[in-house]
mmCIF file of all heavy atoms in Angstrom:
data_model
loop_
_atom_site.group_PDB
_atom_site.id
_atom_site.type_symbol
_atom_site.label_atom_id
_atom_site.label_comp_id
_atom_site.label_asym_id
_atom_site.label_seq_id
_atom_site.Cartn_x
_atom_site.Cartn_y
_atom_site.Cartn_z
ATOM 1 N N PRO A 353 47.361 96.355 54.070
ATOM 2 C CA PRO A 353 46.743 95.378 54.868
ATOM 3 C C PRO A 353 46.667 95.702 56.354
ATOM 4 O O PRO A 353 47.144 96.811 56.737
ATOM 5 C CB PRO A 353 47.556 94.216 54.623
ATOM 6 C CG PRO A 353 48.933 94.807 54.348
ATOM 7 C CD PRO A 353 48.725 96.175 53.734
ATOM 8 N N GLY A 354 46.311 94.767 57.181
ATOM 9 C CA GLY A 354 46.265 94.934 58.578
ATOM 10 C C GLY A 354 47.688 95.038 59.189
ATOM 11 O O GLY A 354 48.662 94.635 58.514
ATOM 12 N N GLY A 355 47.656 95.406 60.384
ATOM 13 C CA GLY A 355 48.973 95.381 61.105
ATOM 14 C C GLY A 355 48.866 96.087 62.468
ATOM 15 O O GLY A 355 47.726 96.505 62.831
ATOM 16 N N PHE A 356 49.911 96.224 63.266
ATOM 17 C CA PHE A 356 49.987 96.655 64.578
ATOM 18 C C PHE A 356 51.211 97.625 64.718
ATOM 19 O O PHE A 356 52.173 97.492 64.200
ATOM 20 C CB PHE A 356 49.968 95.552 65.613
ATOM 21 C CG PHE A 356 48.799 94.709 65.478
ATOM 22 C CD1 PHE A 356 48.648 93.597 64.605
ATOM 23 C CD2 PHE A 356 47.645 94.907 66.324
ATOM 24 C CE1 PHE A 356 47.580 92.768 64.521
ATOM 25 C CE2 PHE A 356 46.546 94.031 66.248
ATOM 26 C CZ PHE A 356 46.554 93.037 65.333
ATOM 27 N N GLY A 357 50.902 98.682 65.482
ATOM 28 C CA GLY A 357 52.010 99.614 65.918
ATOM 29 C C GLY A 357 52.305 100.740 64.830
ATOM 30 O O GLY A 357 51.859 100.656 63.746
ATOM 31 N N ILE A 381 42.559 97.360 54.596
ATOM 32 C CA ILE A 381 42.040 96.406 55.476
ATOM 33 C C ILE A 381 42.466 96.603 56.898
ATOM 34 O O ILE A 381 43.690 96.627 57.136
ATOM 35 C CB ILE A 381 42.590 94.990 55.034
ATOM 36 C CG1 ILE A 381 42.094 94.702 53.586
ATOM 37 C CG2 ILE A 381 42.237 93.936 55.941
ATOM 38 C CD1 ILE A 381 42.792 93.314 53.045
ATOM 39 N N CYS A 382 41.520 96.758 57.773
ATOM 40 C CA CYS A 382 41.802 96.831 59.226
ATOM 41 C C CYS A 382 42.650 98.089 59.361
ATOM 42 O O CYS A 382 42.199 99.127 59.341
ATOM 43 C CB CYS A 382 42.288 95.562 59.812
ATOM 44 S SG CYS A 382 42.012 95.519 61.536
ATOM 45 N N LEU A 383 43.952 97.885 59.782
ATOM 46 C CA LEU A 383 44.865 99.056 59.971
ATOM 47 C C LEU A 383 44.853 99.832 58.683
ATOM 48 O O LEU A 383 44.948 101.124 58.773
ATOM 49 C CB LEU A 383 46.207 98.512 60.356
ATOM 50 C CG LEU A 383 47.242 99.583 60.506
ATOM 51 C CD1 LEU A 383 46.993 100.380 61.822
ATOM 52 C CD2 LEU A 383 48.673 98.956 60.502
ATOM 53 N N GLY A 384 44.670 99.279 57.581
ATOM 54 C CA GLY A 384 44.661 99.982 56.320
ATOM 55 C C GLY A 384 43.461 100.872 56.187
ATOM 56 O O GLY A 384 43.498 102.034 55.662
ATOM 57 N N GLN A 386 41.943 102.185 59.075
ATOM 58 C CA GLN A 386 42.235 103.310 59.991
ATOM 59 C C GLN A 386 43.124 104.268 59.426
ATOM 60 O O GLN A 386 42.970 105.447 59.633
ATOM 61 C CB GLN A 386 42.801 102.509 61.305
ATOM 62 C CG GLN A 386 41.853 101.623 61.907
ATOM 63 C CD GLN A 386 42.422 100.768 63.010
ATOM 64 O OE1 GLN A 386 43.664 100.910 63.239
ATOM 65 N NE2 GLN A 386 41.670 99.924 63.669
ATOM 66 N N GLU A 406 46.637 104.610 69.041
ATOM 67 C CA GLU A 406 47.482 103.474 68.991
ATOM 68 C C GLU A 406 48.941 103.979 68.750
ATOM 69 O O GLU A 406 49.999 103.476 69.145
ATOM 70 C CB GLU A 406 47.080 102.450 67.936
ATOM 71 C CG GLU A 406 48.112 101.261 67.903
ATOM 72 C CD GLU A 406 47.743 100.203 66.893
ATOM 73 O OE1 GLU A 406 46.756 100.308 66.115
ATOM 74 O OE2 GLU A 406 48.392 99.108 66.829
ATOM 75 N N PHE A 407 48.892 105.177 67.906
ATOM 76 C CA PHE A 407 50.282 105.640 67.466
ATOM 77 C C PHE A 407 50.641 106.780 68.280
ATOM 78 O O PHE A 407 51.720 107.167 68.545
ATOM 79 C CB PHE A 407 50.393 105.894 66.052
ATOM 80 C CG PHE A 407 49.562 105.021 65.192
ATOM 81 C CD1 PHE A 407 48.759 105.389 64.201
ATOM 82 C CD2 PHE A 407 49.886 103.619 65.348
ATOM 83 C CE1 PHE A 407 48.105 104.433 63.300
ATOM 84 C CE2 PHE A 407 49.240 102.751 64.544
ATOM 85 C CZ PHE A 407 48.290 103.189 63.625
ATOM 86 N N MET A 419 38.370 100.797 71.164
ATOM 87 C CA MET A 419 36.927 100.518 71.302
ATOM 88 C C MET A 419 36.581 100.549 72.869
ATOM 89 O O MET A 419 37.408 100.212 73.666
ATOM 90 C CB MET A 419 36.567 99.115 70.855
ATOM 91 C CG MET A 419 36.486 99.026 69.237
ATOM 92 S SD MET A 419 36.049 97.440 68.736
ATOM 93 C CE MET A 419 37.700 96.681 68.774
ATOM 94 N N MET A 432 41.307 90.706 71.690
ATOM 95 C CA MET A 432 40.813 91.628 70.667
ATOM 96 C C MET A 432 39.302 91.455 70.414
ATOM 97 O O MET A 432 38.716 90.389 70.835
ATOM 98 C CB MET A 432 41.590 91.527 69.554
ATOM 99 C CG MET A 432 43.040 92.208 69.547
ATOM 100 S SD MET A 432 43.922 92.206 68.074
ATOM 101 C CE MET A 432 45.076 90.882 68.277
ATOM 102 N N ARG A 461 39.596 91.275 63.712
ATOM 103 C CA ARG A 461 40.722 91.084 64.639
ATOM 104 C C ARG A 461 41.401 92.511 64.961
ATOM 105 O O ARG A 461 42.356 92.897 64.323
ATOM 106 C CB ARG A 461 41.816 90.074 64.041
ATOM 107 C CG ARG A 461 42.941 89.832 65.027
ATOM 108 C CD ARG A 461 43.801 88.771 64.468
ATOM 109 N NE ARG A 461 44.791 88.223 65.351
ATOM 110 C CZ ARG A 461 46.099 88.622 65.333
ATOM 111 N NH1 ARG A 461 46.596 89.268 64.310
ATOM 112 N NH2 ARG A 461 47.005 88.243 66.172
ATOM 113 N N HIS A 462 40.769 93.205 65.801
ATOM 114 C CA HIS A 462 41.374 94.620 66.122
ATOM 115 C C HIS A 462 40.902 95.107 67.525
ATOM 116 O O HIS A 462 39.964 94.519 68.041
ATOM 117 C CB HIS A 462 40.818 95.579 65.083
ATOM 118 C CG HIS A 462 39.307 95.704 65.047
ATOM 119 N ND1 HIS A 462 38.782 96.962 65.189
ATOM 120 C CD2 HIS A 462 38.377 94.899 64.847
ATOM 121 C CE1 HIS A 462 37.423 96.938 65.144
ATOM 122 N NE2 HIS A 462 37.240 95.598 64.961
ATOM 123 N N ARG A 463 41.535 96.069 67.997
ATOM 124 C CA ARG A 463 41.214 96.832 69.277
ATOM 125 C C ARG A 463 40.711 98.237 68.973
ATOM 126 O O ARG A 463 39.920 98.737 69.870
ATOM 127 C CB ARG A 463 42.467 96.924 70.063
ATOM 128 C CG ARG A 463 42.995 95.625 70.582
ATOM 129 C CD ARG A 463 44.208 95.913 71.478
ATOM 130 N NE ARG A 463 45.045 94.717 71.584
ATOM 131 C CZ ARG A 463 44.723 93.535 72.132
ATOM 132 N NH1 ARG A 463 43.754 93.398 72.854
ATOM 133 N NH2 ARG A 463 45.553 92.559 72.021
ATOM 134 N N TYR A 464 41.071 98.812 67.914
ATOM 135 C CA TYR A 464 40.766 100.208 67.776
ATOM 136 C C TYR A 464 39.614 100.278 66.688
ATOM 137 O O TYR A 464 39.353 99.368 65.943
ATOM 138 C CB TYR A 464 41.997 101.040 67.204
ATOM 139 C CG TYR A 464 43.019 101.036 68.273
ATOM 140 C CD1 TYR A 464 43.959 100.017 68.414
ATOM 141 C CD2 TYR A 464 43.149 102.180 69.040
ATOM 142 C CE1 TYR A 464 44.964 100.044 69.503
ATOM 143 C CE2 TYR A 464 44.161 102.187 70.075
ATOM 144 C CZ TYR A 464 44.973 101.165 70.193
ATOM 145 O OH TYR A 464 45.976 101.132 71.152
ATOM 146 N N GLU A 465 38.981 101.601 66.678
ATOM 147 C CA GLU A 465 37.864 101.736 65.731
ATOM 148 C C GLU A 465 37.907 103.272 65.307
ATOM 149 O O GLU A 465 38.486 104.084 65.891
ATOM 150 C CB GLU A 465 36.579 101.384 66.418
ATOM 151 C CG GLU A 465 36.398 102.184 67.721
ATOM 152 C CD GLU A 465 34.928 102.370 68.144
ATOM 153 O OE1 GLU A 465 34.104 102.301 67.361
ATOM 154 O OE2 GLU A 465 34.870 102.447 69.481
ATOM 155 N N GLN A 506 37.082 97.643 58.087
ATOM 156 C CA GLN A 506 37.726 97.367 59.459
ATOM 157 C C GLN A 506 37.883 95.880 59.708
ATOM 158 O O GLN A 506 38.708 95.459 60.448
ATOM 159 C CB GLN A 506 36.706 97.875 60.519
ATOM 160 C CG GLN A 506 37.237 97.813 61.917
ATOM 161 C CD GLN A 506 38.541 98.561 62.117
ATOM 162 O OE1 GLN A 506 38.687 99.739 62.237
ATOM 163 N NE2 GLN A 506 39.698 97.758 62.118
ATOM 164 N N HIS A 508 38.538 91.750 58.131
ATOM 165 C CA HIS A 508 39.446 91.018 57.296
ATOM 166 C C HIS A 508 38.709 90.181 56.298
ATOM 167 O O HIS A 508 38.494 89.009 56.479
ATOM 168 C CB HIS A 508 40.415 90.165 58.047
ATOM 169 C CG HIS A 508 41.282 90.882 58.949
ATOM 170 N ND1 HIS A 508 42.540 91.270 58.574
ATOM 171 C CD2 HIS A 508 41.132 91.381 60.210
ATOM 172 C CE1 HIS A 508 43.197 91.990 59.465
ATOM 173 N NE2 HIS A 508 42.315 92.073 60.491
HETATM 174 N N1 LIG B 1 46.241 97.797 65.198
HETATM 175 C C1 LIG B 1 44.911 97.986 64.865
HETATM 176 C C2 LIG B 1 43.944 97.579 65.843
HETATM 177 O O1 LIG B 1 44.234 96.822 66.854
HETATM 178 C C3 LIG B 1 44.497 97.105 63.540
HETATM 179 C C4 LIG B 1 44.535 95.657 63.668
HETATM 180 C C5 LIG B 1 44.638 94.881 62.413
HETATM 181 O O2 LIG B 1 44.949 95.501 61.294
HETATM 182 N N2 LIG B 1 44.467 93.606 62.497
HETATM 183 O O3 LIG B 1 42.762 98.019 65.741
#
Side-chain angles (χ1 to χ4, degrees):
F356 296 84
I381 298 174
C382 205
L383 182 68
Q386 297 172 358
E406 181 178 4
F407 319 132
M419 282 179 280
M432 281 185 258
R461 184 172 185 252
H462 65 119
R463 292 182 206 285
Y464 293 81
E465 59 160 330
Q506 185 58 76
H508 289 268

